[in-house]
Amino acid sequence: MIGVMRLVQNAPGGVKKKLLRAVAAGGILAWFFSGLTACSESPINISTPVTGPNYVTVSASEPSGMLIPSAATNIDKAKIAAMLFSGLAYLDEKGEVKNDIAQAIIPNDNCTVYDIELTADLLFSDGTKVDAESFARTWSDAVRNVETRPEASLLTVINGYDVTSGAAPVVSTDSHRRPPAGTRENTLTPDLAGVEIVSSTRFKVHLSIPTCDFVKRLATPFFSPLPASAFDENGKISADFGENPFGYGPYMLAREGAWEHDSQLILVPNEHYRGPRRARNEGISFKFYRDAHEAYRDLQNDALDINDNLPSAALKTYKDQLGARATSGPNAVADYLVFPLDGHFAVGSEEGRLRRAAVSLCLNRVDLSKMYFAGLFESATDFVTPVVLGHTENLAGNEVLKFNVAQAKANWAAADSLAPWDGEIAMARVDNEMGEWVDGAAGQIRSCLGVRVSVKAFPDRVTLEKNVKTMRVTNPDGSVGALQLTYPAGWRAKYPGMKGYLWPNFATVGIANRVGYSNPEYDALLYQAGGTVSESEAVKLYTQAESLLIRDLPVVPLWHESVAVGWSTKVAGVQLDWQGLVQYWRVTKD
């Protein structure tokens, strides 16, 4: 079936439709497999006929928007994109950088120029070549669309970023800028000046500041190249490609339209892929669930193969129920409590800092973890997680993250002395994300401070995000105003290191800086640390930056997540990587 799908993928449009009908009817299979012999290099034995799809079924939430690497901002989109696309390198289960498309990635002495050699003769799943131009084109496109693809901010250090993103005027051509492609509209900004193409298999990346963790960034899926056919005549990614994407990765879509909205998305192994993550199964079906309890019931009934989003109610019993078919481990997610941008909790005011600290001191994180997460979540002691070097339990000032009712009351009273307030704290609960703990936290805050706390339920994260700034509420006097939501937000580091948390969430230009925190001293420490070759010296600087965060408390750290995963009797080889994600390509199915 894998070879058949490659045949169909590469066929002309009219022929492709006929072949798809033939595949569906089974008529082409006998012809195809009669001439197929086993390949010793293939991780899958396809020397005998396959009677039907034997996909590994995985629980997921449906992604929104285009399914491309630079738009893979949430975990459900990212875990699918990581199977469809490969970049220059990847991060193994220990978080160590391993080459994939790259043959070599060599920085200069001060980490401002990276010389990159590609493995020759690699092909996208449509049969076109992967070359240096593929990276230059894709990265430039991501930067032009940074407003809708915020992960492109990982490229800010490349020379010419401001010009390509449209944040700065076009300047005269320098020695590293490539001429714009002739088929593109003049309205497009120039390509990234800092990407210098040396040959079809070699290019250099020139950075505006020393960035010694850049090689780790290159190992994230967001730097994966796209084929030329992804772009229309105006140089923009077509809507059709966003629905039916393909690249150079372990898998490809099973067919055009394999993304079946509100149902599933099906991937099959990509025979063009020659990298280290070659598939060991016949395909993956990401099944879309809105109800975590339904997904867990399907897992228990062997109707679902892998579930990595167990409902909180199952966390105390899942290992007893599943036995050897369950595991848990740390992941790269830090959870924070985010407060309204303005009003009495606003960042930048002493009143807001005191009230945020008071709420933090009201939370008995240990009890909440025991009650709702079976003790799997560890109370936060800083703003990063234990999976990265530099995490500490001894950050000066982290007493504000410990349960202390007396101090909470004192902070609240101090805030009232600055600006009296007797309003209501509205907390958001996301029902498909083990959100029950919010009710427990609301009760703790009520009891601790004697204030009104309500809980507003949202079916999923997408709905919450859409409503955070637009919800309206009717006040007691009948007037209508904006609902000031306090809500939980998690951040999964994209690459190992403290900067993977501290930059996106709290830098002035951070893509996940939800509260508008801006501290020049903090930003300067991050820049200095990023250009430090010594990792131990960089950690010292990042820790200094954390000391500013714990003082200012722009958000309240809650806990470090652990992941709980269960699987069916039909699969084996379920392993977690450094982020706590299942390595789907390793999974086998009987």
Side-chain angles (χ1 to χ4, degrees):
M1 177 64 77
I2 300 162
V4 173
M5 291 317 304
R6 184 180 67 173
L7 174 69
V8 174
Q9 287 269 352
N10 294 337
V15 176
K16 180 188 290 186
K17 293 180 180 179
K18 294 179 180 179
L19 289 174
L20 283 171
R21 288 195 293 268
V23 170
I28 197 171
L29 290 177
W31 164 78
F32 180 81
F33 285 108
S34 66
L36 191 64
T37 57
C39 174
S40 60
E41 294 181 355
S42 175
I44 309 169
N45 183 357
I46 53 174
S47 59
T48 56
V50 178
T51 57
N54 195 30
Y55 303 139
V56 176
T57 55
V58 177
S59 65
S61 293
E62 182 163 15
S64 60
M66 291 195 297
L67 188 52
I68 56 175
S70 59
T73 53
N74 62 55
I75 186 57
D76 288 296
K77 186 180 287 186
K79 68 185 184 182
I80 296 173
M83 297 296 99
L84 281 170
F85 306 99
S86 287
L88 294 166
Y90 76 103
L91 295 164
D92 69 8
E93 61 273 14
K94 297 179 181 179
E96 297 178 356
V97 177
K98 304 291 184 183
N99 286 345
D100 197 326
I101 293 176
Q103 190 74 26
I105 304 172
I106 303 172
N108 65 351
D109 290 341
N110 69 344
C111 307
T112 57
V113 180
Y114 285 78
D115 194 342
I116 299 168
E117 185 74 29
L118 306 180
T119 302
D121 301 323
L122 298 183
L123 302 176
F124 291 109
S125 59
D126 68 342
T128 59
K129 285 189 175 182
V130 179
D131 57 19
E133 176 68 28
S134 306
F135 288 90
R137 181 192 306 111
T138 304
W139 295 0
S140 295
D141 172 76
V143 171
R144 290 189 187 101
N145 294 278
V146 66
E147 292 298 323
T148 55
R149 297 184 225 158
E151 296 295 347
S153 65
L154 288 169
L155 299 163
T156 53
V157 294
I158 298 179
N159 281 346
Y161 176 91
D162 286 347
V163 172
T164 303
S165 68
V170 177
V171 294
S172 60
T173 302
D174 62 33
S175 60
H176 301 313
R177 175 162 299 160
R178 300 173 298 107
T183 58
R184 300 182 184 177
E185 289 182 335
N186 293 331
T187 55
L188 285 184
T189 57
D191 289 344
L192 284 166
V195 181
E196 174 194 3
I197 294 180
V198 179
S199 70
S200 63
T201 59
R202 184 185 171 202
F203 65 99
K204 293 182 180 182
V205 184
H206 299 261
L207 307 184
S208 56
I209 58 173
T211 308
C212 296
D213 69 351
F214 191 66
V215 68
K216 292 182 180 179
R217 301 190 197 187
L218 293 176
T220 67
F222 312 110
F223 285 79
S224 301
L226 297 177
S229 56
F231 300 86
D232 62 21
E233 65 275 9
N234 297 317
K236 300 177 181 179
I237 295 177
S238 68
D240 182 66
F241 185 86
E243 276 285 309
N244 297 280
F246 55 89
Y248 176 76
Y251 294 86
M252 61 185 185
L253 292 184
R255 62 182 186 281
E256 188 173 351
W259 184 353
E260 303 169 15
H261 291 283
D262 299 317
S263 178
Q264 64 180 341
L265 186 149
I266 303 172
L267 305 181
V268 295
N270 175 13
E271 287 191 331
H272 285 305
Y273 180 71
R274 290 165 40 196
R277 299 185 297 139
R278 279 178 283 182
R280 300 178 184 177
N281 49 62
E282 294 176 23
I284 306 170
S285 169
F286 290 96
K287 299 175 71 68
F288 304 140
Y289 289 90
R290 290 181 70 91
D291 184 348
H293 297 278
E294 179 186 356
Y296 187 60
R297 286 192 296 270
D298 282 353
L299 177 69
Q300 290 176 295
N301 294 328
D302 254 9
L304 178 70
D305 288 323
I306 300 175
N307 188 341
D308 58 1
N309 185 30
L310 304 185
S312 56
L315 294 180
K316 293 181 180 179
T317 58
Y318 79 102
K319 287 191 175 180
D320 291 333
Q321 294 170 337
L322 300 175
R325 295 184 291 108
T327 191
S328 63
N331 68 18
V333 176
D335 285 324
Y336 310 111
L337 195 61
V338 181
F339 294 85
L341 288 171
D342 51 22
H344 294 273
F345 288 91
V347 170
S349 72
E350 179 62 9
E351 180 203 357
R353 187 191 69 79
L354 287 165
R355 294 198 191 280
R356 295 191 303 275
V359 170
S360 177
L361 290 159
C362 285
L363 298 176
N364 189 327
R365 293 164 175 78
V366 173
D367 282 358
L368 289 172
S369 178
K370 288 179 180 177
M371 183 175 299
Y372 296 100
F373 307 119
L376 281 173
F377 289 15
E378 296 182 1
S379 301
T381 57
D382 64 354
F383 291 81
V384 302
T385 71
V387 303
V388 300
L389 181 67
H391 162 70
T392 179
E393 297 180 359
N394 302 309
L395 181 66
N398 71 0
E399 295 83 4
V400 74
L401 306 182
K402 298 175 182 178
F403 181 53
N404 188 329
V405 173
Q407 187 60 51
K409 291 179 180 293
N411 280 28
W412 196 261
D416 276 342
S417 71
L418 296 173
W421 182 64
D422 61 354
E424 177 180 278
I425 299 174
M427 298 185 69
R429 184 187 70 221
V430 182
D431 286 341
N432 73 340
E433 290 185 356
M434 300 190 297
E436 295 92 339
W437 70 269
V438 174
D439 296 276
Q444 288 183 349
I445 297 168
R446 286 191 206 101
S447 175
C448 175
L449 297 176
V451 298
R452 289 177 288 122
V453 185
S454 63
V455 175
K456 310 294 182 183
F458 295 85
D460 49 47
R461 176 66 53 174
V462 172
T463 305
L464 169 63
E465 297 287 356
K466 287 180 178 178
N467 285 275
V468 161
K469 297 180 180 179
T470 60
M471 285 190 67
R472 312 297 287 176
V473 63
T474 302
N475 297 316
D477 63 0
S479 62
V480 177
L483 177 62
Q484 299 288 296
L485 274 178
T486 296
Y487 61 96
W491 182 260
R492 185 185 302 270
K494 307 304 186 293
Y495 55 93
M498 297 178 74
K499 191 174 184 178
Y501 299 93
L502 302 183
W503 178 268
N505 288 291
F506 309 113
T508 299
V509 296
I511 62 171
N513 187 341
R514 299 165 177 267
V515 294
Y517 180 68
S518 181
N519 183 331
E521 184 182 359
Y522 176 85
D523 290 346
L525 284 167
L526 294 193
Y527 278 115
Q528 186 179 353
T532 302
V533 176
S534 167
E535 195 164 27
S536 61
E537 290 302 313
V539 164
K540 292 178 183 178
L541 294 167
Y542 288 131
T543 302
Q544 289 181 44
E546 276 204 297
S547 69
L548 299 177
L549 289 181
I550 202 70
R551 180 197 70 190
D552 297 342
L553 210 65
V555 300
V556 168
L558 292 170
W559 34 62
H560 314 126
E561 287 192 15
S562 290
V563 63
V565 180
W567 56 91
S568 74
T569 61
K570 304 172 186 177
V571 297
V574 178
Q575 299 180 35
L576 305 181
D577 67 8
W578 72 277
Q579 289 182 302
L581 300 178
V582 176
Q583 298 178 79
Y584 299 111
W585 58 274
R586 291 183 180 271
V587 177
T588 60
K589 185 170 183 178
D590 296 335

